[in-house]
């Protein structure tokens, strides 16, 4: 019966082993913080870029220029002769922008 109450040394870790494991975990966290920086939240780059582009498009100094470009693109897209000439000269066509895609505005410009 006494043998049943004896603890095996390997059954439970000692307090020094627990402290060693905790310090190893803390050390690995410190190393990761140094390597990657202590970032708690990283916003999506694409969505942030989309917000910035939308803010720029609404700026009073940029909006008239974009409106003029949209008018020119609309005129060219309506004319099949203009599209054919543009394709013949440079091999490209004009792209109309889409408000939900910032890259389309870039391509239009």
């Amino acid at each position: 019966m006494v043998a049943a109450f004896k603890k095996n040394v390997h059954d439970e870790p000692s307090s020094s082993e627990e402290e060693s494991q905790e310090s190893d975990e803390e050390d690995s966290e410190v190393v990761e913080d140094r390597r990657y920086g202590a970032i708690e939240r990283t916003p999506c780059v694409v969505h942030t870029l989309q917000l910035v582009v939308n803010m720029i498009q609404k700026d009073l100094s940029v909006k008239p220029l974009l409106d003029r470009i949209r008018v020119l693109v609309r005129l060219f897209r309506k004319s099949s002769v203009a599209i054919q000439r543009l394709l013949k000269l440079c091999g490209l066509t004009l792209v109309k922008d889409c408000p939900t895609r910032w890259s389309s505005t870039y391509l239009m410009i």
Side-chain angles (χ1 to χ4, degrees):
M1 190 131 173
V2 175
F5 290 107
K6 279 189 175 180
K7 285 187 175 180
N8 190 349
V9 177
H10 300 291
D11 286 347
E12 294 181 24
S14 67
S15 62
S16 63
E17 288 176 358
E18 288 175 359
E19 290 173 5
S20 174
Q21 288 176 348
E22 289 175 6
S23 67
D24 289 343
E25 289 174 6
E26 290 173 4
D27 289 341
S28 66
E29 289 176 8
V30 169
V31 169
E32 286 181 13
D33 284 348
R34 277 193 223 141
R35 183 181 304 156
Y36 302 113
I39 299 173
E40 292 181 15
R41 179 183 169 275
T42 305
C44 178
V45 175
V46 175
H47 289 118
T48 304
L49 183 61
Q50 175 78 25
L51 292 172
V52 171
V53 169
N54 284 334
M55 286 175 25
I56 291 172
Q57 287 180 358
K58 292 176 184 176
D59 188 62
L60 294 177
S61 62
V62 175
K63 189 166 176 21
L65 178 63
L66 287 175
D67 290 341
R68 284 184 186 174
I69 294 172
R70 285 185 184 108
V71 168
L72 285 173
V73 169
R74 192 175 313 124
L75 290 173
F76 266 83
R77 304 262 314 168
K78 284 184 179 181
S79 171
S80 61
V81 175
I83 291 175
Q84 287 177 358
R85 271 196 187 162
L86 193 61
L87 279 170
K88 187 178 178 181
L89 289 173
C90 62
L92 299 173
T93 184
L94 294 176
V95 177
K96 187 176 182 226
D97 68 333
C98 176
T100 58
R101 300 188 186 275
W102 66 268
S103 60
S104 67
T105 304
Y106 172 74
L107 292 172
M108 179 185 71
I109 294 171

